[in-house]
Amino acid sequence: QVQMVGSGGGLVQAGDSLKLSCAASGLTFSSYGMGWFRQTPEKEREFVAAIGESNSTTYYADFVKGRFTISRDNAKNTVYLQMDSVKPEDAAVYYCAVSRFYPPLRTTNGYAYWGQGAQVTVSS
């Protein structure tokens, strides 16, 4: 059974940094691309970043490009999202997910096996 367990969410001040982690089990982690999405009560779940099976190919939404960094450690079956220069509009629940396709898509239907979500709150 595939499980995705996210961690690292919390309260952060605008301008500061936060790092999210998502540990996977029950699958051959290194064979799958991974993605991060976020959702607020006002908006549908939106694409944030994705990474191919290795660390060589990454994809970002325009609104996080240059501020967020996605990476993975295949030895630890874990994908990360380093969030720098956080803005109030980055407040959301962040979800990790396993990509069904290569290259990873920017839509939710391209992903299976979602994590439980990590709440990120930003104080200004």
Side-chain angles (χ1 to χ4, degrees):
Q1 182 177 355
V2 177
Q3 283 193 314
M4 311 289 294
V5 180
S7 61
L11 175 65
V12 61
Q13 255 191 328
D16 284 351
S17 298
L18 193 67
K19 188 172 186 176
L20 304 181
S21 302
C22 181
S25 61
L27 78 168
T28 306
F29 181 76
S30 60
S31 296
Y32 294 91
M34 300 294 297
W36 285 97
F37 286 73
R38 69 186 188 186
Q39 188 170 18
T40 66
E42 297 78 26
K43 295 173 69 174
E44 291 188 351
R45 197 168 295 189
E46 63 180 357
F47 172 78
V48 175
I51 188 168
E53 291 86 350
S54 68
N55 276 315
S56 61
T57 308
T58 56
Y59 311 83
Y60 294 97
D62 287 343
F63 53 77
V64 302
K65 203 171 290 185
R67 299 189 299 120
F68 292 10
T69 303
I70 187 171
S71 62
R72 64 190 296 158
D73 185 337
N74 287 343
K76 295 182 178 179
N77 286 4
T78 300
V79 62
Y80 304 97
L81 185 68
Q82 176 68 44
M83 304 168 61
D84 296 323
S85 302
V86 173
K87 301 177 180 180
E89 54 262 43
D90 293 323
V93 178
Y94 283 73
Y95 297 91
C96 61
V98 179
S99 176
R100 297 170 58 205
F101 305 110
Y102 183 82
L105 301 183
R106 295 171 182 254
T107 53
T108 56
N109 61 1
Y111 293 79
Y113 307 120
W114 294 82
Q116 83 279 15
Q119 177 71 54
V120 174
T121 304
V122 182
S123 64
S124 55

